[in-house]
Amino acid sequence: FVDEFIAATAGNDKKMNAGLIPPLIDYILEARGLNARGWAVTPDAFRPDALPPHFSMNYKLIDEHGRQLDMNRSLVALRGEWGKEAKEEFAELHETPSEYTNLTDWTFGELPELMEVPVGKQTVIGYPALVDDGETVSLKVFDSAEEAAETHRKGLARLFMSQFREQVKYFDKNVPGMSQMGMQFMALGTTEELKRQIVDLTFERACLTEPLPTTPEAFKARCGEAKARLGLIMQEVCRLVGAILTEWQAVTKKLPAFKAQAAVVADIEAQLKRLVSKNFVVATPFERLQHFPRYLKAIGVRLDKLKANPGRDAQSMADYAKLWTNYERRALQLAKMGAVDPQVEQFRWLLEELRVGLFAQELRTPVPVSVKRLEKQWEGIKHG
């Protein structure tokens, strides 16, 4: 059955984008002729928590002496309970050799994806990453691939900046439109803080394209490629950040006139806080940051329409709120576990597109979105 299902769905990205469960249900009903008999299967039938406990794997947590610390059929629960402690102990037991600290150039040979690390009497798998220490970087090993990847990007960017000291010095005094952007940013932070973010994003865009360098030779080659692009990328970043701040400022100036619509104002203020925070330039994936001017413009369009049809706005807000609550609950769970789910992250940005579709349809969205479509997708994520 499994082989048949894989063969039937292979290459059908449209179906699989909804998660595993919806296409599996469709296949079961079709392949077994159950559609013709009027059968229906819902995603609830595939809830993992509905399985008898003995069908779930039992996980044991063992310390460096071989003693069992805990046991649970939920790996998520084990990670939530012990993850922080394990991370701290791993860091404590594995010290970074001095030759891998205070680095300003790639002097440590090839960087492997995995490393065997002695921890007590055991050898465990660790994930090496460069760590940004300010003016220099260090090479450290992490117990989590996700944490290592996130840390490494920042550390690698710092190492690149160490190779471009003259350019960094030039950018410090020559960021296009910095005075205007600094004034617009005043309610969020200082001009210097914004400038640092713009410079950091410029180097990220110029130097951190995939695949990331893993050898001294690849690092040197990337430096050569990036040098010619830095100026153009800086201009691109400044245009985008300037457009975002202009739209953000326009919306924040509009809001006080709608204080009688308290629920709408509260909803928009929460959205603005999520989008344009103090560190929004570097905290947001660039591919999403590019859409921020449209998201913010959509808020302005929403306000323009509000007085003409407040009932429709209220209904749209209620429809959106249900989906946002589902996402937010799941995102908080993942944050507590220190885990990342790309599908949940993608859904978060689809929710932003949904706001455009609900409140400012004329601005259009790059992908089709609707409440029903996202409800179906969430079911796939939840049970996938």
Side-chain angles (χ1 to χ4, degrees), residues 271 275 291-299 301-302 305 320 349-367 369:
Q271 181 189 10
L275 289 176
H291 295 280
F292 274 31
R294 181 169 51 87
Y295 296 158
L296 294 165
K297 193 182 291 290
I299 298 174
V301 172
R302 176 187 181 183
K305 294 178 178 180
Y320 171 86
W349 295 111
L350 285 175
L351 286 173
E352 209 62 53
E353 295 295 343
L354 180 63
R355 293 185 77 103
V356 177
L358 290 173
F359 300 113
Q361 197 171 20
E362 58 267 44
L363 295 183
R364 300 189 179 182
T365 59
V367 292
V369 287

PDB file of all heavy atoms in Angstrom, residues 271 275 291-299 301-302 305 320 349-367 369:
ATOM      1  N   GLN A 271      -0.612  43.796  14.535  1.00  0.00           N
ATOM      2  CA  GLN A 271       0.031  43.425  13.269  1.00  0.00           C
ATOM      3  C   GLN A 271       1.296  44.246  13.038  1.00  0.00           C
ATOM      4  O   GLN A 271       2.344  43.708  12.661  1.00  0.00           O
ATOM      5  CB  GLN A 271      -0.939  43.625  12.106  1.00  0.00           C
ATOM      6  CG  GLN A 271      -0.347  43.224  10.750  1.00  0.00           C
ATOM      7  CD  GLN A 271      -1.228  43.625   9.584  1.00  0.00           C
ATOM      8  OE1 GLN A 271      -2.208  44.360   9.751  1.00  0.00           O
ATOM      9  NE2 GLN A 271      -0.889  43.155   8.393  1.00  0.00           N
ATOM     10  N   LEU A 275       5.221  42.982  12.607  1.00  0.00           N
ATOM     11  CA  LEU A 275       5.975  43.217  11.375  1.00  0.00           C
ATOM     12  C   LEU A 275       7.183  44.121  11.599  1.00  0.00           C
ATOM     13  O   LEU A 275       8.314  43.765  11.252  1.00  0.00           O
ATOM     14  CB  LEU A 275       5.063  43.845  10.314  1.00  0.00           C
ATOM     15  CG  LEU A 275       3.978  42.963   9.695  1.00  0.00           C
ATOM     16  CD1 LEU A 275       3.116  43.783   8.745  1.00  0.00           C
ATOM     17  CD2 LEU A 275       4.588  41.780   8.956  1.00  0.00           C
ATOM     18  N   HIS A 291       8.080  41.842   0.885  1.00  0.00           N
ATOM     19  CA  HIS A 291       6.630  42.023   0.781  1.00  0.00           C
ATOM     20  C   HIS A 291       6.080  43.026   1.803  1.00  0.00           C
ATOM     21  O   HIS A 291       4.896  43.363   1.753  1.00  0.00           O
ATOM     22  CB  HIS A 291       5.922  40.677   0.974  1.00  0.00           C
ATOM     23  CG  HIS A 291       6.222  39.675  -0.101  1.00  0.00           C
ATOM     24  ND1 HIS A 291       5.602  39.686  -1.332  1.00  0.00           N
ATOM     25  CD2 HIS A 291       7.094  38.636  -0.138  1.00  0.00           C
ATOM     26  CE1 HIS A 291       6.070  38.693  -2.074  1.00  0.00           C
ATOM     27  NE2 HIS A 291       6.975  38.046  -1.367  1.00  0.00           N
ATOM     28  N   PHE A 292       6.912  43.483   2.711  1.00  0.00           N
ATOM     29  CA  PHE A 292       6.430  44.364   3.775  1.00  0.00           C
ATOM     30  C   PHE A 292       5.771  45.649   3.261  1.00  0.00           C
ATOM     31  O   PHE A 292       4.756  46.077   3.821  1.00  0.00           O
ATOM     32  CB  PHE A 292       7.566  44.701   4.750  1.00  0.00           C
ATOM     33  CG  PHE A 292       7.744  43.682   5.852  1.00  0.00           C
ATOM     34  CD1 PHE A 292       7.449  42.343   5.644  1.00  0.00           C
ATOM     35  CD2 PHE A 292       8.205  44.060   7.106  1.00  0.00           C
ATOM     36  CE1 PHE A 292       7.613  41.398   6.650  1.00  0.00           C
ATOM     37  CE2 PHE A 292       8.366  43.133   8.124  1.00  0.00           C
ATOM     38  CZ  PHE A 292       8.070  41.802   7.895  1.00  0.00           C
ATOM     39  N   PRO A 293       6.315  46.312   2.225  1.00  0.00           N
ATOM     40  CA  PRO A 293       5.620  47.516   1.748  1.00  0.00           C
ATOM     41  C   PRO A 293       4.172  47.233   1.347  1.00  0.00           C
ATOM     42  O   PRO A 293       3.272  48.033   1.626  1.00  0.00           O
ATOM     43  CB  PRO A 293       6.470  47.950   0.545  1.00  0.00           C
ATOM     44  CG  PRO A 293       7.848  47.442   0.860  1.00  0.00           C
ATOM     45  CD  PRO A 293       7.616  46.118   1.538  1.00  0.00           C
ATOM     46  N   ARG A 294       3.943  46.082   0.721  1.00  0.00           N
ATOM     47  CA  ARG A 294       2.579  45.726   0.312  1.00  0.00           C
ATOM     48  C   ARG A 294       1.711  45.414   1.533  1.00  0.00           C
ATOM     49  O   ARG A 294       0.536  45.811   1.591  1.00  0.00           O
ATOM     50  CB  ARG A 294       2.625  44.531  -0.648  1.00  0.00           C
ATOM     51  CG  ARG A 294       1.268  44.079  -1.175  1.00  0.00           C
ATOM     52  CD  ARG A 294       1.439  43.080  -2.322  1.00  0.00           C
ATOM     53  NE  ARG A 294       2.336  42.002  -1.952  1.00  0.00           N
ATOM     54  CZ  ARG A 294       1.949  40.889  -1.322  1.00  0.00           C
ATOM     55  NH1 ARG A 294       0.678  40.720  -1.001  1.00  0.00           N
ATOM     56  NH2 ARG A 294       2.822  39.951  -1.022  1.00  0.00           N
ATOM     57  N   TYR A 295       2.269  44.697   2.504  1.00  0.00           N
ATOM     58  CA  TYR A 295       1.501  44.396   3.716  1.00  0.00           C
ATOM     59  C   TYR A 295       1.066  45.690   4.415  1.00  0.00           C
ATOM     60  O   TYR A 295      -0.070  45.813   4.881  1.00  0.00           O
ATOM     61  CB  TYR A 295       2.342  43.571   4.698  1.00  0.00           C
ATOM     62  CG  TYR A 295       2.739  42.195   4.212  1.00  0.00           C
ATOM     63  CD1 TYR A 295       3.842  41.549   4.767  1.00  0.00           C
ATOM     64  CD2 TYR A 295       2.033  41.532   3.215  1.00  0.00           C
ATOM     65  CE1 TYR A 295       4.221  40.280   4.344  1.00  0.00           C
ATOM     66  CE2 TYR A 295       2.413  40.269   2.783  1.00  0.00           C
ATOM     67  CZ  TYR A 295       3.507  39.649   3.349  1.00  0.00           C
ATOM     68  OH  TYR A 295       3.886  38.398   2.931  1.00  0.00           O
ATOM     69  N   LEU A 296       1.987  46.637   4.485  1.00  0.00           N
ATOM     70  CA  LEU A 296       1.694  47.896   5.174  1.00  0.00           C
ATOM     71  C   LEU A 296       0.734  48.764   4.360  1.00  0.00           C
ATOM     72  O   LEU A 296      -0.156  49.416   4.918  1.00  0.00           O
ATOM     73  CB  LEU A 296       3.000  48.644   5.452  1.00  0.00           C
ATOM     74  CG  LEU A 296       3.938  47.929   6.446  1.00  0.00           C
ATOM     75  CD1 LEU A 296       5.337  48.518   6.383  1.00  0.00           C
ATOM     76  CD2 LEU A 296       3.393  48.009   7.866  1.00  0.00           C
ATOM     77  N   LYS A 297       0.913  48.751   3.056  1.00  0.00           N
ATOM     78  CA  LYS A 297      -0.011  49.501   2.196  1.00  0.00           C
ATOM     79  C   LYS A 297      -1.428  48.939   2.333  1.00  0.00           C
ATOM     80  O   LYS A 297      -2.419  49.680   2.310  1.00  0.00           O
ATOM     81  CB  LYS A 297       0.458  49.417   0.743  1.00  0.00           C
ATOM     82  CG  LYS A 297      -0.239  50.400  -0.206  1.00  0.00           C
ATOM     83  CD  LYS A 297       0.239  50.214  -1.637  1.00  0.00           C
ATOM     84  CE  LYS A 297       1.663  50.648  -1.819  1.00  0.00           C
ATOM     85  NZ  LYS A 297       1.818  52.122  -1.727  1.00  0.00           N
ATOM     86  N   ALA A 298      -1.523  47.616   2.499  1.00  0.00           N
ATOM     87  CA  ALA A 298      -2.828  46.970   2.651  1.00  0.00           C
ATOM     88  C   ALA A 298      -3.545  47.456   3.913  1.00  0.00           C
ATOM     89  O   ALA A 298      -4.777  47.554   3.938  1.00  0.00           O
ATOM     90  CB  ALA A 298      -2.663  45.453   2.697  1.00  0.00           C
ATOM     91  N   ILE A 299      -2.781  47.767   4.943  1.00  0.00           N
ATOM     92  CA  ILE A 299      -3.394  48.298   6.168  1.00  0.00           C
ATOM     93  C   ILE A 299      -4.030  49.657   5.882  1.00  0.00           C
ATOM     94  O   ILE A 299      -5.145  49.950   6.330  1.00  0.00           O
ATOM     95  CB  ILE A 299      -2.346  48.418   7.296  1.00  0.00           C
ATOM     96  CG1 ILE A 299      -1.775  47.042   7.649  1.00  0.00           C
ATOM     97  CG2 ILE A 299      -2.970  49.067   8.535  1.00  0.00           C
ATOM     98  CD1 ILE A 299      -0.626  47.088   8.646  1.00  0.00           C
ATOM     99  N   VAL A 301      -5.154  50.709   2.993  1.00  0.00           N
ATOM    100  CA  VAL A 301      -6.351  50.464   2.178  1.00  0.00           C
ATOM    101  C   VAL A 301      -7.499  50.003   3.072  1.00  0.00           C
ATOM    102  O   VAL A 301      -8.653  50.421   2.903  1.00  0.00           O
ATOM    103  CB  VAL A 301      -6.051  49.411   1.087  1.00  0.00           C
ATOM    104  CG1 VAL A 301      -7.329  49.005   0.360  1.00  0.00           C
ATOM    105  CG2 VAL A 301      -5.023  49.943   0.095  1.00  0.00           C
ATOM    106  N   ARG A 302      -7.191  49.149   4.023  1.00  0.00           N
ATOM    107  CA  ARG A 302      -8.218  48.667   4.959  1.00  0.00           C
ATOM    108  C   ARG A 302      -8.855  49.833   5.715  1.00  0.00           C
ATOM    109  O   ARG A 302     -10.086  49.897   5.851  1.00  0.00           O
ATOM    110  CB  ARG A 302      -7.590  47.679   5.944  1.00  0.00           C
ATOM    111  CG  ARG A 302      -8.552  47.186   7.014  1.00  0.00           C
ATOM    112  CD  ARG A 302      -7.839  46.339   8.062  1.00  0.00           C
ATOM    113  NE  ARG A 302      -8.773  45.859   9.078  1.00  0.00           N
ATOM    114  CZ  ARG A 302      -8.417  45.141  10.141  1.00  0.00           C
ATOM    115  NH1 ARG A 302      -7.135  44.827  10.329  1.00  0.00           N
ATOM    116  NH2 ARG A 302      -9.324  44.750  11.021  1.00  0.00           N
ATOM    117  N   LYS A 305     -11.288  51.814   3.666  1.00  0.00           N
ATOM    118  CA  LYS A 305     -12.570  51.145   3.407  1.00  0.00           C
ATOM    119  C   LYS A 305     -13.427  51.001   4.663  1.00  0.00           C
ATOM    120  O   LYS A 305     -14.619  50.689   4.567  1.00  0.00           O
ATOM    121  CB  LYS A 305     -12.314  49.734   2.853  1.00  0.00           C
ATOM    122  CG  LYS A 305     -11.670  49.680   1.485  1.00  0.00           C
ATOM    123  CD  LYS A 305     -11.448  48.216   1.104  1.00  0.00           C
ATOM    124  CE  LYS A 305     -10.858  48.071  -0.278  1.00  0.00           C
ATOM    125  NZ  LYS A 305     -10.654  46.640  -0.623  1.00  0.00           N
ATOM    126  N   TYR A 320     -10.122  35.715  10.214  1.00  0.00           N
ATOM    127  CA  TYR A 320      -8.657  35.679  10.329  1.00  0.00           C
ATOM    128  C   TYR A 320      -8.221  35.262  11.730  1.00  0.00           C
ATOM    129  O   TYR A 320      -7.269  34.485  11.891  1.00  0.00           O
ATOM    130  CB  TYR A 320      -8.087  37.060   9.994  1.00  0.00           C
ATOM    131  CG  TYR A 320      -6.614  37.193  10.296  1.00  0.00           C
ATOM    132  CD1 TYR A 320      -5.658  36.797   9.373  1.00  0.00           C
ATOM    133  CD2 TYR A 320      -6.184  37.701  11.523  1.00  0.00           C
ATOM    134  CE1 TYR A 320      -4.304  36.904   9.660  1.00  0.00           C
ATOM    135  CE2 TYR A 320      -4.834  37.809  11.815  1.00  0.00           C
ATOM    136  CZ  TYR A 320      -3.903  37.411  10.886  1.00  0.00           C
ATOM    137  OH  TYR A 320      -2.565  37.506  11.177  1.00  0.00           O
ATOM    138  N   TRP A 349       3.321  33.302   7.184  1.00  0.00           N
ATOM    139  CA  TRP A 349       3.372  34.322   6.133  1.00  0.00           C
ATOM    140  C   TRP A 349       2.175  34.226   5.194  1.00  0.00           C
ATOM    141  O   TRP A 349       1.766  35.233   4.600  1.00  0.00           O
ATOM    142  CB  TRP A 349       4.695  34.231   5.387  1.00  0.00           C
ATOM    143  CG  TRP A 349       5.839  34.574   6.289  1.00  0.00           C
ATOM    144  CD1 TRP A 349       6.799  33.740   6.770  1.00  0.00           C
ATOM    145  CD2 TRP A 349       6.099  35.861   6.876  1.00  0.00           C
ATOM    146  NE1 TRP A 349       7.651  34.418   7.616  1.00  0.00           N
ATOM    147  CE2 TRP A 349       7.243  35.717   7.698  1.00  0.00           C
ATOM    148  CE3 TRP A 349       5.486  37.112   6.792  1.00  0.00           C
ATOM    149  CZ2 TRP A 349       7.777  36.783   8.422  1.00  0.00           C
ATOM    150  CZ3 TRP A 349       6.024  38.171   7.513  1.00  0.00           C
ATOM    151  CH2 TRP A 349       7.154  37.999   8.313  1.00  0.00           C
ATOM    152  N   LEU A 350       1.597  33.044   5.080  1.00  0.00           N
ATOM    153  CA  LEU A 350       0.343  32.939   4.325  1.00  0.00           C
ATOM    154  C   LEU A 350      -0.773  33.704   5.038  1.00  0.00           C
ATOM    155  O   LEU A 350      -1.658  34.271   4.396  1.00  0.00           O
ATOM    156  CB  LEU A 350      -0.051  31.469   4.152  1.00  0.00           C
ATOM    157  CG  LEU A 350       0.765  30.675   3.129  1.00  0.00           C
ATOM    158  CD1 LEU A 350       0.352  29.207   3.145  1.00  0.00           C
ATOM    159  CD2 LEU A 350       0.597  31.252   1.723  1.00  0.00           C
ATOM    160  N   LEU A 351      -0.711  33.722   6.354  1.00  0.00           N
ATOM    161  CA  LEU A 351      -1.686  34.506   7.117  1.00  0.00           C
ATOM    162  C   LEU A 351      -1.537  35.998   6.813  1.00  0.00           C
ATOM    163  O   LEU A 351      -2.526  36.734   6.759  1.00  0.00           O
ATOM    164  CB  LEU A 351      -1.510  34.262   8.620  1.00  0.00           C
ATOM    165  CG  LEU A 351      -2.012  32.912   9.139  1.00  0.00           C
ATOM    166  CD1 LEU A 351      -1.622  32.725  10.604  1.00  0.00           C
ATOM    167  CD2 LEU A 351      -3.533  32.811   9.000  1.00  0.00           C
ATOM    168  N   GLU A 352      -0.315  36.433   6.609  1.00  0.00           N
ATOM    169  CA  GLU A 352      -0.094  37.838   6.253  1.00  0.00           C
ATOM    170  C   GLU A 352      -0.668  38.119   4.865  1.00  0.00           C
ATOM    171  O   GLU A 352      -1.256  39.177   4.625  1.00  0.00           O
ATOM    172  CB  GLU A 352       1.405  38.148   6.286  1.00  0.00           C
ATOM    173  CG  GLU A 352       1.735  39.581   6.630  1.00  0.00           C
ATOM    174  CD  GLU A 352       1.253  39.992   8.012  1.00  0.00           C
ATOM    175  OE1 GLU A 352       1.566  39.307   8.996  1.00  0.00           O
ATOM    176  OE2 GLU A 352       0.538  41.019   8.093  1.00  0.00           O
ATOM    177  N   GLU A 353      -0.502  37.152   3.966  1.00  0.00           N
ATOM    178  CA  GLU A 353      -1.090  37.300   2.634  1.00  0.00           C
ATOM    179  C   GLU A 353      -2.617  37.293   2.719  1.00  0.00           C
ATOM    180  O   GLU A 353      -3.292  38.000   1.963  1.00  0.00           O
ATOM    181  CB  GLU A 353      -0.609  36.174   1.709  1.00  0.00           C
ATOM    182  CG  GLU A 353       0.879  36.191   1.400  1.00  0.00           C
ATOM    183  CD  GLU A 353       1.308  37.418   0.612  1.00  0.00           C
ATOM    184  OE1 GLU A 353       0.439  38.093   0.018  1.00  0.00           O
ATOM    185  OE2 GLU A 353       2.518  37.721   0.597  1.00  0.00           O
ATOM    186  N   LEU A 354      -3.148  36.493   3.639  1.00  0.00           N
ATOM    187  CA  LEU A 354      -4.598  36.447   3.806  1.00  0.00           C
ATOM    188  C   LEU A 354      -5.143  37.812   4.215  1.00  0.00           C
ATOM    189  O   LEU A 354      -6.220  38.218   3.762  1.00  0.00           O
ATOM    190  CB  LEU A 354      -4.979  35.392   4.852  1.00  0.00           C
ATOM    191  CG  LEU A 354      -6.483  35.242   5.129  1.00  0.00           C
ATOM    192  CD1 LEU A 354      -7.226  34.782   3.876  1.00  0.00           C
ATOM    193  CD2 LEU A 354      -6.727  34.270   6.279  1.00  0.00           C
ATOM    194  N   ARG A 355      -4.411  38.519   5.043  1.00  0.00           N
ATOM    195  CA  ARG A 355      -4.856  39.862   5.442  1.00  0.00           C
ATOM    196  C   ARG A 355      -4.963  40.774   4.217  1.00  0.00           C
ATOM    197  O   ARG A 355      -5.891  41.579   4.113  1.00  0.00           O
ATOM    198  CB  ARG A 355      -3.891  40.457   6.475  1.00  0.00           C
ATOM    199  CG  ARG A 355      -3.900  39.748   7.813  1.00  0.00           C
ATOM    200  CD  ARG A 355      -3.018  40.457   8.822  1.00  0.00           C
ATOM    201  NE  ARG A 355      -3.665  41.645   9.344  1.00  0.00           N
ATOM    202  CZ  ARG A 355      -4.233  41.742  10.542  1.00  0.00           C
ATOM    203  NH1 ARG A 355      -4.245  40.702  11.354  1.00  0.00           N
ATOM    204  NH2 ARG A 355      -4.791  42.863  10.930  1.00  0.00           N
ATOM    205  N   VAL A 356      -4.014  40.638   3.313  1.00  0.00           N
ATOM    206  CA  VAL A 356      -4.088  41.424   2.072  1.00  0.00           C
ATOM    207  C   VAL A 356      -5.333  41.016   1.292  1.00  0.00           C
ATOM    208  O   VAL A 356      -6.092  41.864   0.806  1.00  0.00           O
ATOM    209  CB  VAL A 356      -2.821  41.222   1.213  1.00  0.00           C
ATOM    210  CG1 VAL A 356      -2.950  41.979  -0.109  1.00  0.00           C
ATOM    211  CG2 VAL A 356      -1.577  41.679   1.963  1.00  0.00           C
ATOM    212  N   GLY A 357      -5.552  39.697   1.183  1.00  0.00           N
ATOM    213  CA  GLY A 357      -6.708  39.208   0.440  1.00  0.00           C
ATOM    214  C   GLY A 357      -8.037  39.617   1.048  1.00  0.00           C
ATOM    215  O   GLY A 357      -9.008  39.887   0.334  1.00  0.00           O
ATOM    216  N   LEU A 358      -8.094  39.682   2.365  1.00  0.00           N
ATOM    217  CA  LEU A 358      -9.347  40.029   3.042  1.00  0.00           C
ATOM    218  C   LEU A 358      -9.625  41.528   3.040  1.00  0.00           C
ATOM    219  O   LEU A 358     -10.766  41.955   2.845  1.00  0.00           O
ATOM    220  CB  LEU A 358      -9.305  39.528   4.496  1.00  0.00           C
ATOM    221  CG  LEU A 358      -9.370  38.015   4.717  1.00  0.00           C
ATOM    222  CD1 LEU A 358      -9.137  37.694   6.189  1.00  0.00           C
ATOM    223  CD2 LEU A 358     -10.718  37.459   4.264  1.00  0.00           C
ATOM    224  N   PHE A 359      -8.584  42.317   3.269  1.00  0.00           N
ATOM    225  CA  PHE A 359      -8.796  43.748   3.498  1.00  0.00           C
ATOM    226  C   PHE A 359      -8.376  44.651   2.334  1.00  0.00           C
ATOM    227  O   PHE A 359      -8.786  45.810   2.278  1.00  0.00           O
ATOM    228  CB  PHE A 359      -8.032  44.191   4.756  1.00  0.00           C
ATOM    229  CG  PHE A 359      -8.451  43.479   6.007  1.00  0.00           C
ATOM    230  CD1 PHE A 359      -7.588  42.616   6.659  1.00  0.00           C
ATOM    231  CD2 PHE A 359      -9.721  43.662   6.541  1.00  0.00           C
ATOM    232  CE1 PHE A 359      -7.965  41.956   7.823  1.00  0.00           C
ATOM    233  CE2 PHE A 359     -10.114  43.009   7.704  1.00  0.00           C
ATOM    234  CZ  PHE A 359      -9.239  42.151   8.348  1.00  0.00           C
ATOM    235  N   ALA A 360      -7.549  44.134   1.432  1.00  0.00           N
ATOM    236  CA  ALA A 360      -7.064  44.984   0.325  1.00  0.00           C
ATOM    237  C   ALA A 360      -6.822  44.119  -0.904  1.00  0.00           C
ATOM    238  O   ALA A 360      -5.714  44.051  -1.433  1.00  0.00           O
ATOM    239  CB  ALA A 360      -5.788  45.709   0.743  1.00  0.00           C
ATOM    240  N   GLN A 361      -7.880  43.480  -1.348  1.00  0.00           N
ATOM    241  CA  GLN A 361      -7.766  42.498  -2.427  1.00  0.00           C
ATOM    242  C   GLN A 361      -7.146  43.080  -3.691  1.00  0.00           C
ATOM    243  O   GLN A 361      -6.473  42.383  -4.452  1.00  0.00           O
ATOM    244  CB  GLN A 361      -9.152  41.931  -2.739  1.00  0.00           C
ATOM    245  CG  GLN A 361      -9.126  40.633  -3.526  1.00  0.00           C
ATOM    246  CD  GLN A 361     -10.504  40.002  -3.610  1.00  0.00           C
ATOM    247  OE1 GLN A 361     -11.512  40.673  -3.417  1.00  0.00           O
ATOM    248  NE2 GLN A 361     -10.561  38.714  -3.895  1.00  0.00           N
ATOM    249  N   GLU A 362      -7.350  44.378  -3.906  1.00  0.00           N
ATOM    250  CA  GLU A 362      -6.837  45.007  -5.121  1.00  0.00           C
ATOM    251  C   GLU A 362      -5.307  45.023  -5.188  1.00  0.00           C
ATOM    252  O   GLU A 362      -4.728  45.193  -6.259  1.00  0.00           O
ATOM    253  CB  GLU A 362      -7.374  46.439  -5.262  1.00  0.00           C
ATOM    254  CG  GLU A 362      -7.057  47.357  -4.096  1.00  0.00           C
ATOM    255  CD  GLU A 362      -8.154  47.379  -3.039  1.00  0.00           C
ATOM    256  OE1 GLU A 362      -8.655  46.295  -2.689  1.00  0.00           O
ATOM    257  OE2 GLU A 362      -8.491  48.478  -2.568  1.00  0.00           O
ATOM    258  N   LEU A 363      -4.654  44.839  -4.048  1.00  0.00           N
ATOM    259  CA  LEU A 363      -3.185  44.806  -4.045  1.00  0.00           C
ATOM    260  C   LEU A 363      -2.645  43.446  -4.468  1.00  0.00           C
ATOM    261  O   LEU A 363      -1.457  43.297  -4.724  1.00  0.00           O
ATOM    262  CB  LEU A 363      -2.652  45.168  -2.653  1.00  0.00           C
ATOM    263  CG  LEU A 363      -2.929  46.592  -2.175  1.00  0.00           C
ATOM    264  CD1 LEU A 363      -2.290  46.830  -0.815  1.00  0.00           C
ATOM    265  CD2 LEU A 363      -2.424  47.617  -3.178  1.00  0.00           C
ATOM    266  N   ARG A 364      -3.500  42.454  -4.484  1.00  0.00           N
ATOM    267  CA  ARG A 364      -3.176  41.104  -4.957  1.00  0.00           C
ATOM    268  C   ARG A 364      -2.128  40.401  -4.090  1.00  0.00           C
ATOM    269  O   ARG A 364      -1.367  41.024  -3.374  1.00  0.00           O
ATOM    270  CB  ARG A 364      -2.727  41.129  -6.422  1.00  0.00           C
ATOM    271  CG  ARG A 364      -3.792  41.689  -7.346  1.00  0.00           C
ATOM    272  CD  ARG A 364      -3.422  41.504  -8.791  1.00  0.00           C
ATOM    273  NE  ARG A 364      -4.469  42.015  -9.666  1.00  0.00           N
ATOM    274  CZ  ARG A 364      -4.424  41.951 -10.985  1.00  0.00           C
ATOM    275  NH1 ARG A 364      -3.369  41.410 -11.582  1.00  0.00           N
ATOM    276  NH2 ARG A 364      -5.418  42.426 -11.714  1.00  0.00           N
ATOM    277  N   THR A 365      -2.147  39.089  -4.213  1.00  0.00           N
ATOM    278  CA  THR A 365      -1.203  38.254  -3.469  1.00  0.00           C
ATOM    279  C   THR A 365      -0.450  37.368  -4.454  1.00  0.00           C
ATOM    280  O   THR A 365      -1.005  36.985  -5.482  1.00  0.00           O
ATOM    281  CB  THR A 365      -1.939  37.370  -2.443  1.00  0.00           C
ATOM    282  OG1 THR A 365      -2.887  36.535  -3.132  1.00  0.00           O
ATOM    283  CG2 THR A 365      -2.673  38.223  -1.416  1.00  0.00           C
ATOM    284  N   PRO A 366       0.800  37.018  -4.153  1.00  0.00           N
ATOM    285  CA  PRO A 366       1.583  36.198  -5.093  1.00  0.00           C
ATOM    286  C   PRO A 366       1.094  34.760  -5.194  1.00  0.00           C
ATOM    287  O   PRO A 366       1.411  34.055  -6.153  1.00  0.00           O
ATOM    288  CB  PRO A 366       3.000  36.261  -4.513  1.00  0.00           C
ATOM    289  CG  PRO A 366       2.825  36.611  -3.077  1.00  0.00           C
ATOM    290  CD  PRO A 366       1.592  37.450  -2.994  1.00  0.00           C
ATOM    291  N   VAL A 367       0.334  34.306  -4.187  1.00  0.00           N
ATOM    292  CA  VAL A 367      -0.241  32.956  -4.203  1.00  0.00           C
ATOM    293  C   VAL A 367      -1.719  33.061  -3.841  1.00  0.00           C
ATOM    294  O   VAL A 367      -2.121  33.980  -3.127  1.00  0.00           O
ATOM    295  CB  VAL A 367       0.480  32.018  -3.208  1.00  0.00           C
ATOM    296  CG1 VAL A 367       1.903  31.744  -3.651  1.00  0.00           C
ATOM    297  CG2 VAL A 367       0.456  32.600  -1.796  1.00  0.00           C
ATOM    298  N   VAL A 369      -4.931  32.758  -1.814  1.00  0.00           N
ATOM    299  CA  VAL A 369      -5.225  32.569  -0.394  1.00  0.00           C
ATOM    300  C   VAL A 369      -6.707  32.836  -0.145  1.00  0.00           C
ATOM    301  O   VAL A 369      -7.312  33.678  -0.797  1.00  0.00           O
ATOM    302  CB  VAL A 369      -4.383  33.501   0.515  1.00  0.00           C
ATOM    303  CG1 VAL A 369      -2.936  33.067   0.580  1.00  0.00           C
ATOM    304  CG2 VAL A 369      -4.490  34.950   0.075  1.00  0.00           C
TER     305      VAL A 369
END
